[in-house]
Amino acid sequence: MDRVDELLSQMTVEEKVKLLVGVGLPGLFGNPHSKVPGAAGETHPIPRLGIPSAVLADGPAGLRINPNREGDEKTYHATAFPVETMLASTWNRELLEEVGKAMGEEAREYGVDVLLAPAINIHRNPLCGRNFEYYSEDPVLSGELAAAFVKGVQSQGVGACVKHFAANEQETNRMLVDTLVSERALREIYLRAFEIAVKKGRPWAVMSAYNKLNGKYCSQHEWLLKEVLRKEWGFEGLVMSDWYAGDSAAEQIKSGNDLIMPGKSYQVNQQRVDEVEEILDALRSGKLTEEELDECVRNVLKVFLNSPSFRGYRYSNNPNLEAHARVAYLAGVEGVVLLKNENTLPISRETKVALFGTGQIETVKGGTGSGDTHPRYVINVLDGLRERKVKLDERLARIYEDYVQKMRQKEEYKVRRDAWGTPIKPKLPENFLDEKDLKKFAKENDVAVIVISRISGEGYDRKPVKGDFYLSDDERELVEVVSKSFHEFGKKVVVLLNIGSPIEVASWRDLVDAILVIWQAGQETGRVVADVLVGEVSPSGKLPTTFPKDYSDVPSWTFPGEPKENPQKVIYEEDIYVGYRYYDTFGVEPAYEFGYGLSYTKFEYKDLKIERDGEVLKVSYTIRNVGDFAGKEVSQVYVKAPKGKIGKPFQELKTFHKTKLLKTREEELVTLEIPLRDLASFDGREWVVEAGEYEIRVGASSRDIRLKGCVVLEEKRYKP
Ligand code: BGC
């Protein structure tokens, strides 16, 4: 008998049920009895059998635990890494694995067994409040990066939990909204990211989502959890619910949602239901069988037997924060995306810089909610530039420092805290500088740098309005007057976008000379920005998500569902045409396309070879740095399918690669493999590769295709 069965045979029914229901929110709200204050969840211990409780903690941008503990001088900070959208902009699997390792080590050394990350829902709409916590609009990029991240985390002996399974692409009414989506779109887009992450990353855990999927709560969805996840994909870990998800604990267990989090009790129709009682009742009445219960218990035990808590690991409470700060920095510099550059960047170390925008001081490190972090420090843009000895106009910097400080004392701009304790800062007006002064700054400096910031978070979606998706009037005024004053003196203007998800850029980008998306880069933001501005590193990030010209161009027009005032359902009417699949197929020009990003150097693509080797296509090509700057290049392989019976997007990303740092005139041979199965579309029952000529398109972005080749394939069919 193996250890799992041995334990199982010794457990009473009550003990089994308890193991499947978390203990509530021990880490939150200052409960002194929690193992790790600030952790999102804990499981029930069974001391009689030597089963300790396991600790689960968020999240995707770093471990979220409380930095301070009552009556304890010591601090428990964790590293704030760049948000996932920025990590995805690196397109660098190895780097994601490094980030995973660092977060995994922090989890382990702070006594956490499972890190509740990565989150891999799809950027269906740029306004989803949690897009910053998700990687991309494309499932291959999302799934590949998630797999690498999971491997990194788990190499440290703790688990990763891939979330939120599935079709959880909005925050509005997330706990009850019904996502109505075709099986094809589900399998090709929304499940695909999870399929790759599960098969390649082998995570310890998957978190089922809050929402309903085609009529059923994801945490109570037997087809999703048993048929697809376990049977089809061979998932061997445990499934846990999202916090307080669903409306029946018994049904969750029956459907294969092994662990109910955070547990204790939840509310249905204004009544508190005790989950343990509900499950025991269901067992008594025969609605749930003991075999069904045992299946979940086995899944939970199997995973937790390997956890640090179970192994009695003595954690240090001293992770290597210095080393991880370096990882956060490296992930940041590789994730910066250069959108526009008219002979402006990099600036020289002698360049005199006038820094505008309150975001230079109140730089946003990441989003709010469970994806938030509590690092030792956050280097804002201003301090990053100062630290790196960029020649700043200090008089202007002081004007901004005084302004921010003064404004935050006013009642209407006072910092509030949200449900997670995150500080919420009402936006400050950006148009307060006087025009005479501006002229002076323009005369005395060489370049203007303007920071535009956005923050969003869990629980609410963004809005297609000024101040959110669009620039506010005062931000626009700032961009206009600064550009006018500086251009009058022949000086350049750079905009830094400190954002977690796209904003509108098309209507103002012509006013400025360069635009850098610095995303929300975590604790090292200021250093990252400074080093990219002065050319210490060349930007090598590429967009993991389309920047549309206008919100009206976005294909997910049903977002966030109907009825408008209180959405109960959201129909994914655009079907598989998500992100670039839509813009490319229907001829809609974006502001900046998927996969786009400039560099300080130039790359040449050459020598494409495509070879079929049984069930895989072998694609190779060479990338050469033909510019004057060292840099890395992300190349992307898209496939355009022949016209067949199944409607197809114009092209789809199948794989990608990032070079090492290439010196001037250095080149790298890229060799990639695409399994034929990855070329299939779902026809409603099966995966089908239709017969015909497939075009292999190697690009520097989805619209900058540098090499093309063809391969003719016969029809192939695969079972799901
Ligand atoms: C979020 C999850 C998170 C959990 C625990 C939920 O509200 O949706 O992503 O892991 O809380 O904090």
Side-chain angles (χ1 to χ4, degrees):
M1 207 190 307
D2 75 357
R3 185 90 175 96
V4 169
D5 284 319
E6 193 187 310
L7 280 171
L8 190 73
S9 69
Q10 294 169 4
M11 291 167 85
T12 65
V13 172
E14 279 87 87
E15 284 170 339
K16 290 180 186 174
V17 175
K18 279 198 157 171
L19 186 72
L20 305 185
V21 179
V23 299
L25 289 174
L28 303 178
F29 311 120
N31 182 341
H33 303 299
S34 67
K35 280 172 91 175
V36 181
E42 253 177 55
T43 61
H44 267 284
I46 308 177
R48 181 180 81 83
L49 300 174
I51 301 178
S53 64
V55 179
L56 321 175
D58 293 302
L63 184 70
R64 184 175 64 99
I65 58 172
N66 291 349
N68 302 302
R69 297 180 185 173
E70 236 177 80
D72 187 347
E73 293 281 282
K74 193 181 150 45
T75 53
Y76 300 80
H77 291 287
T79 307
F81 293 87
V83 296
E84 272 195 19
T85 311
M86 184 171 207
L87 293 176
S89 303
T90 70
W91 295 63
N92 186 336
R93 295 176 180 89
E94 291 78 37
L95 191 56
L96 268 277
E97 195 167 333
E98 287 307 310
V99 172
K101 271 188 200 157
M103 282 194 211
E105 201 234 346
E106 290 188 18
R108 190 189 66 215
E109 291 311 316
Y110 277 134
V112 170
D113 296 287
V114 177
L115 180 74
L116 303 172
I120 59 171
N121 297 95
I122 293 290
H123 294 169
R124 172 180 181 245
N125 186 294
L127 301 184
C128 169
R130 286 183 93 174
N131 274 355
F132 72 94
E133 281 190 70
Y134 307 146
Y135 292 117
S136 170
E137 68 187 24
D138 180 83
V140 171
L141 181 59
S142 304
E144 288 285 328
L145 295 180
F149 176 85
V150 167
K151 279 190 213 152
V153 171
Q154 297 188 166
S155 71
Q156 301 304 300
V158 296
C161 176
V162 179
K163 65 191 190 182
H164 313 88
F165 191 55
N168 178 188
E169 275 77 32
Q170 66 184 55
E171 290 302 285
T172 307
N173 277 358
R174 63 178 176 157
M175 296 191 76
L176 53 89
V177 80
D178 190 2
T179 302
L180 301 176
V181 52
S182 76
E183 190 174 341
R184 178 173 180 202
L186 200 56
R187 287 189 179 271
E188 290 188 15
I189 309 286
Y190 299 99
L191 296 183
R192 183 83 183 115
F194 286 93
E195 183 179 1
I196 297 169
V198 163
K199 286 182 176 169
K200 294 194 176 176
R202 304 180 70 81
W204 288 15
V206 164
M207 186 189 291
S208 55
Y210 281 130
N211 53 289
K212 293 179 193 139
L213 171 63
N214 294 329
K216 269 192 197 149
Y217 281 110
C218 290
S219 61
Q220 294 164 205
H221 210 300
E222 201 176 320
W223 176 79
L224 185 68
L225 304 182
K226 288 196 174 169
E227 195 61 34
V228 175
L229 180 62
R230 287 199 191 273
K231 277 218 198 100
E232 292 180 12
W233 302 349
F235 176 66
E236 288 178 344
L238 74 86
V239 177
M240 71 178 81
S241 70
D242 199 346
W243 272 226
Y244 301 109
D247 66 357
S248 163
E251 218 177 296
Q252 288 176 329
I253 296 303
K254 201 176 177 67
S255 313
N257 187 103
D258 308 303
L259 179 61
I260 297 169
M261 291 306 295
K264 197 130 193 173
S265 64
Y266 63 100
Q267 212 144 350
V268 177
N269 302 332
Q270 249 106 63
Q271 277 192 316
R272 294 208 87 74
V273 178
D274 184 305
E275 288 126 335
V276 172
E277 286 308 319
E278 190 198 321
I279 296 169
L280 286 171
D281 276 348
L283 284 164
R284 275 182 225 114
S285 71
K287 271 197 225 147
L288 186 70
T289 65
E290 202 166 336
E291 289 71 58
E292 287 165 331
L293 184 74
D294 286 356
E295 213 178 296
C296 295
V297 175
R298 267 200 199 89
N299 292 333
V300 170
L301 282 176
K302 213 162 53 190
V303 167
F304 286 143
L305 274 178
N306 291 317
S307 65
S309 286
F310 221 108
R311 288 186 276 113
Y313 181 72
R314 292 162 76 124
Y315 51 92
S316 64
N317 273 330
N318 275 317
N320 194 344
L321 297 179
E322 282 309 320
H324 301 166
R326 177 80 191 152
V327 178
Y329 164 84
L330 289 174
V333 282
E334 280 209 25
V336 170
V337 183
L338 180 60
L339 294 184
K340 170 171 181 169
N341 190 15
E342 315 244 301
N343 298 323
T344 306
L345 295 175
I347 56 173
S348 84
R349 294 207 176 260
E350 299 313 309
T351 309
K352 284 188 259 163
V353 176
L355 194 51
F356 296 92
T358 56
Q360 64 179 287
I361 293 156
E362 298 190 323
T363 307
V364 176
K365 73 173 191 311
T368 64
S370 64
D372 196 6
T373 46
H374 306 294
R376 281 179 296 164
Y377 56 80
V378 178
I379 307 289
N380 65 22
V381 173
L382 175 59
D383 289 340
L385 267 58
R386 277 178 176 154
E387 192 188 287
R388 296 302 210 239
K389 309 242 169 342
V390 172
K391 292 219 159 80
L392 282 173
D393 188 314
E394 279 295 337
R395 187 171 72 89
L396 178 59
R398 272 191 303 277
I399 291 178
Y400 269 97
E401 284 173 324
D402 291 346
Y403 174 72
V404 170
Q405 206 210 9
K406 206 178 75 221
M407 293 297 275
R408 287 298 173 213
Q409 271 151 26
K410 293 191 177 172
E411 205 44 52
E412 55 185 313
Y413 296 114
K414 279 230 162 95
V415 180
R416 295 175 284 110
R417 292 198 175 260
D418 72 2
W420 283 269
T422 315
I424 301 294
K425 300 175 173 160
K427 264 186 82 53
L428 298 177
E430 298 285 355
N431 53 348
F432 65 93
L433 292 167
D434 90 40
E435 233 172 274
K436 268 220 303 289
D437 235 7
L438 254 174
K439 274 230 150 55
K440 251 184 115 198
F441 292 128
K443 210 167 145 196
E444 289 168 5
N445 292 285
D446 303 315
V447 64
V449 175
I450 308 172
V451 185
I452 303 280
S453 296
R454 289 287 180 276
I455 191 161
S456 74
E458 184 169 347
Y460 59 94
D461 289 312
R462 296 173 54 212
K463 295 213 160 54
V465 298
K466 287 182 183 174
D468 199 338
F469 185 71
Y470 298 93
L471 291 191
S472 58
D473 289 336
D474 52 293
E475 285 170 336
R476 192 173 172 111
E477 197 183 317
L478 178 72
V479 172
E480 277 171 4
V481 296
V482 169
S483 301
K484 192 160 162 274
S485 329
F486 276 70
H487 287 159
E488 258 168 35
F489 290 95
K491 314 273 174 80
K492 304 277 191 181
V493 179
V494 182
V495 169
L496 304 179
L497 295 179
N498 175 208
I499 56 181
S501 188
I503 64 166
E504 187 271 338
V505 292
S507 72
W508 56 265
R509 64 179 161 188
D510 291 344
L511 298 174
V512 303
D513 307 288
I515 306 173
L516 271 176
V517 185
I518 62 167
W519 300 114
Q520 295 162 343
Q523 65 182 44
E524 304 295 321
T525 303
R527 293 173 178 150
V528 165
V529 170
D531 288 353
V532 173
L533 280 177
V534 301
E536 188 66 31
V537 245
S538 169
S540 64
K542 301 227 174 162
L543 296 179
T545 207
T546 306
F547 274 51
K549 272 202 174 145
D550 190 68
Y551 186 69
S552 59
D553 291 336
V554 171
S556 46
W557 55 85
T558 59
F559 177 92
E562 56 191 81
K564 274 259 162 310
E565 326 70 68
N566 184 18
Q568 302 298 304
K569 62 176 180 187
V570 54
I571 308 177
Y572 284 15
E573 277 180 22
E574 72 286 358
D575 207 56
I576 57 165
Y577 297 99
V578 178
Y580 68 90
R581 286 170 169 78
Y582 169 80
Y583 297 102
D584 292 349
T585 311
F586 296 95
V588 179
E589 202 189 316
Y592 295 106
E593 73 270 16
F594 177 77
Y596 174 89
L598 303 172
S599 163
Y600 294 158
T601 188
K602 281 204 169 54
F603 296 97
E604 180 191 38
Y605 287 53
K606 58 183 184 183
D607 304 335
L608 174 64
K609 289 196 189 69
I610 304 161
E611 233 178 87
R612 173 159 176 193
D613 183 2
E615 281 287 297
V616 292
L617 291 183
K618 293 191 161 169
V619 178
S620 69
Y621 50 90
T622 298
I623 292 186
R624 183 178 172 84
N625 184 350
V626 292
D628 304 324
F629 224 94
K632 297 185 177 186
E633 172 70 340
V634 172
S635 54
Q636 304 148 40
V637 182
Y638 296 87
V639 173
K640 185 176 170 203
K643 276 225 171 344
K645 285 195 215 87
I646 312 173
K648 295 274 169 63
F650 173 74
Q651 60 178 357
E652 292 181 287
L653 181 77
K654 295 300 169 187
T655 186
F656 57 90
H657 176 267
K658 187 163 200 170
T659 62
K660 61 175 195 200
L661 185 71
L662 294 176
K663 287 181 255 148
T664 308
R665 279 177 291 285
E666 198 181 355
E667 54 183 47
E668 183 172 328
L669 173 68
V670 180
T671 54
L672 299 168
E673 294 196 348
I674 305 173
L676 291 187
R677 197 187 202 284
D678 290 359
L679 303 181
S681 300
F682 191 73
D683 77 349
R685 284 187 316 136
E686 281 181 316
W687 289 96
V688 187
V689 179
E690 292 192 279
E693 191 176 84
Y694 286 75
E695 188 175 75
I696 312 297
R697 302 157 58 84
V698 182
S701 85
S702 57
R703 290 182 174 223
D704 181 7
I705 302 297
R706 305 286 185 85
L707 302 167
K708 283 187 207 170
C710 279
V711 56
V712 176
L713 298 175
E714 72 283 4
E715 189 190 90
K716 292 202 149 267
R717 290 180 171 270
Y718 304 89
K719 292 258 161 303

